Amino acid sequence: KKFIIVNVLILLLLPISKSFGKDLNMLSGKDQLGNNFSQGVLALMYHRFEENKYPSTNIKIEVFKKHLEEINQSGFKFIDFKKFDQVINSKIEKSYILLTVDDGFESFYTQAWPILKAKKIPFILFVSTREVGKYGYMTWKQINEIDSYDFATIGNHSHTHDYLVDWDSEKIINDLETSIEIFKNKLGYSPSIFSYPFGEYSLNFKKIVRNFNFTFAFGQHSGVIDPTKDFLELPRFPVNEKYGELKRFKSILSNMPFPYKKITPENRYIKKEDKNPPEITIEFFKDLIDLKNISCYSNEGNVWRKSDIKFEEINNLKIILKEKFTTERGRINCTLSGLGGRWRWLGIQYTIAEY
């Protein structure tokens, strides 16, 4: 099972624009350094807290506290879901941080929740309903307690937290229907926001999520959210022990959005009969940002190297991959520097059914 994650270090990942057709200059302005389209919502994704035997999904609580301090000192403003829903549909005039926590581990309740509650820092907690009450996970009583606070939002993270992207439509629908009914029974309502298990989605999975009337869905590809993003494949920066070190965390906070019209292949699920590596093309908005200094790197063939790129038109970039992605996650990182040490970053994730 494989995930290809194409992370283009340009800033903000933008699949198909839900706001397409709007005047881009009305969506995000310049910062004081002169960077165009500089404001956005930077979503951070956490899982476990102080569960040190799981470094790939854990963050030490003292490091988490430093993250919160760094955010306060950086000029970002924490945003709750209600405010997020407002600004993402209009012009973003500030830089925001959206905290998200996946899976509903008990360590969130015992370690992070007391800190966030004391400081009234808003966040979204994505819950997989099957796991609630099991060893190491929160109970419905604890989830209901958190849900009673205005600055906390509960999201749907499926019922089973399985590899749903591999399933047929009927099985995915049954899983989501089960989670929705459990939420209605336990919380009195069904959350309107969704987080894809493992950040995996396909065009078919997105269609099912849309048909269930979820207003937003989050992946695990990195980037900054702005109003041009596809609301059903929103990016987040994963944070754990390896990628939560303070120097790296500060570099995350230096990122700003990068709008684009379209990335192909649009289907983020690569089957055995599909081409691996995929032929990736990014169509950018014309005359918005100077793209000529983009540099891209990939781990094709399980070796990090600089990727060849080619502008087929002034706003169409082709990323030329020469070898298959042969690890669980294949990545492309493309960077574009801005003024004042800020960077644009773009991330894309492809799930590989077989390789």
Side-chain angles (χ1 to χ4, degrees):
K1 164 120 225 173
K2 259 190 184 164
F3 308 76
I4 289 185
I5 296 182
V6 181
N7 282 305
V8 183
L9 256 168
I10 312 176
L11 192 336
L12 255 208
L13 183 222
L14 276 163
I16 300 177
S17 165
K18 177 155 185 174
S19 303
F20 187 69
K22 292 184 180 180
D23 181 355
L24 292 181
N25 292 321
M26 296 300 294
L27 297 178
S28 182
K30 292 184 178 181
D31 62 15
Q32 60 185 359
L33 299 170
N35 289 300
N36 187 32
F37 222 98
S38 59
Q39 280 81 28
V41 179
L42 200 159
L44 302 173
M45 179 186 67
Y46 294 89
H47 286 86
R48 303 173 187 266
F49 297 81
E50 208 61 38
E51 294 190 64
N52 300 324
K53 62 181 179 179
Y54 303 105
S56 65
T57 54
N58 181 60
I59 195 73
K60 296 180 184 296
I61 199 65
E62 290 303 318
V63 174
F64 180 62
K65 290 178 181 178
K66 291 179 181 178
H67 289 176
L68 299 180
E69 292 173 3
E70 190 62 35
I71 290 168
N72 283 325
Q73 294 172 8
S74 68
F76 279 84
K77 181 178 176 61
F78 288 104
I79 190 171
D80 61 21
F81 175 69
K82 183 177 180 180
K83 180 69 172 178
F84 172 80
D85 193 9
Q86 293 173 354
V87 302
I88 203 63
N89 284 290
S90 60
K91 183 173 182 177
I92 300 181
E93 298 180 332
K94 297 179 181 178
S95 293
Y96 293 98
I97 290 288
L98 178 66
L99 288 184
T100 70
V101 181
D102 281 13
D103 297 345
F105 290 112
E106 185 180 24
S107 62
F108 168 74
Y109 183 81
T110 59
Q111 299 290 332
W113 167 234
I115 298 169
L116 299 177
K117 179 171 62 173
K119 297 179 180 292
K120 296 184 178 180
I121 295 175
F123 62 91
I124 300 173
L125 175 66
F126 288 105
V127 175
S128 298
T129 51
R130 186 184 67 179
E131 310 309 318
V132 178
K134 292 184 178 180
Y135 180 78
Y137 289 86
M138 295 170 59
T139 65
W140 281 113
K141 181 179 179 180
Q142 292 168 335
I143 294 169
N144 270 280
E145 175 195 333
I146 290 173
D147 191 43
S148 68
Y149 287 81
D150 291 340
F151 55 87
T153 302
I154 305 300
N156 188 320
H157 199 29
S158 82
H159 177 59
T160 61
H161 198 293
D162 210 326
Y163 295 103
L164 274 66
V165 74
D166 290 330
W167 294 0
D168 61 38
S169 296
E170 183 179 1
K171 195 173 179 182
I172 297 174
I173 290 169
N174 288 339
D175 183 280
L176 297 190
E177 284 179 338
T178 300
S179 68
I180 288 169
E181 288 305 309
I182 292 174
F183 276 119
K184 287 180 178 178
N185 179 260
K186 297 297 185 178
L187 298 182
Y189 70 95
S190 177
S192 63
I193 50 178
F194 187 76
S195 170
Y196 298 104
F198 308 103
E200 301 176 322
Y201 55 89
S202 63
L203 287 178
N204 182 57
F205 196 173
K206 274 180 58 181
K207 181 181 178 181
I208 293 170
V209 168
R210 181 181 294 109
N211 289 341
F212 275 108
N213 296 318
F214 287 103
T215 55
F216 299 98
F218 291 81
Q220 295 186 15
H221 49 286
S222 50
V224 183
I225 301 168
D226 65 61
T228 70
K229 296 293 185 289
D230 185 332
F231 290 175
L232 294 183
E233 48 181 71
L234 294 174
R236 295 183 291 174
F237 281 93
V239 184
N240 54 27
E241 287 188 23
K242 181 177 180 180
Y243 296 111
E245 181 268 330
L246 195 57
K247 182 178 179 181
R248 191 255 181 183
F249 188 78
K250 289 180 179 180
S251 72
I252 292 175
L253 298 183
S254 71
N255 291 320
M256 53 186 170
F258 191 100
Y260 60 84
K261 279 187 180 181
K262 184 178 180 180
I263 296 174
T264 54
E266 292 182 67
N267 193 1
R268 303 294 193 260
Y269 186 62
I270 306 297
K271 298 179 180 179
K272 184 177 181 179
E273 60 268 25
D274 297 326
K275 186 173 182 179
N276 177 13
E279 294 182 355
I280 300 169
T281 301
I282 306 172
E283 181 182 359
F284 295 98
F285 292 102
K286 290 183 178 179
D287 304 322
L288 186 65
I289 294 169
D290 187 352
L291 304 170
K292 65 183 179 183
N293 292 321
I294 290 176
S295 295
C296 300
Y297 300 83
S298 76
N299 67 340
E300 56 185 294
N302 198 26
V303 177
W304 276 101
R305 67 193 73 180
K306 190 171 184 178
S307 298
D308 292 335
I309 58 175
K310 177 183 178 182
F311 279 99
E312 297 183 322
E313 296 180 26
I314 192 170
N315 61 315
N316 280 13
L317 179 69
K318 183 175 183 179
I319 301 173
I320 303 167
L321 303 178
K322 299 175 182 178
E323 295 188 40
K324 284 185 176 182
F325 287 104
T326 58
T327 58
E328 185 176 1
R329 287 176 179 156
R331 293 181 172 87
I332 299 171
N333 295 324
C334 300
T335 59
L336 179 66
S337 63
L339 300 173
R342 301 192 67 189
W343 291 86
R344 302 196 180 274
W345 178 308
L346 176 71
I348 311 159
Q349 174 170 297
Y350 288 96
T351 303
I352 309 304
E354 298 181 44
Y355 57 92

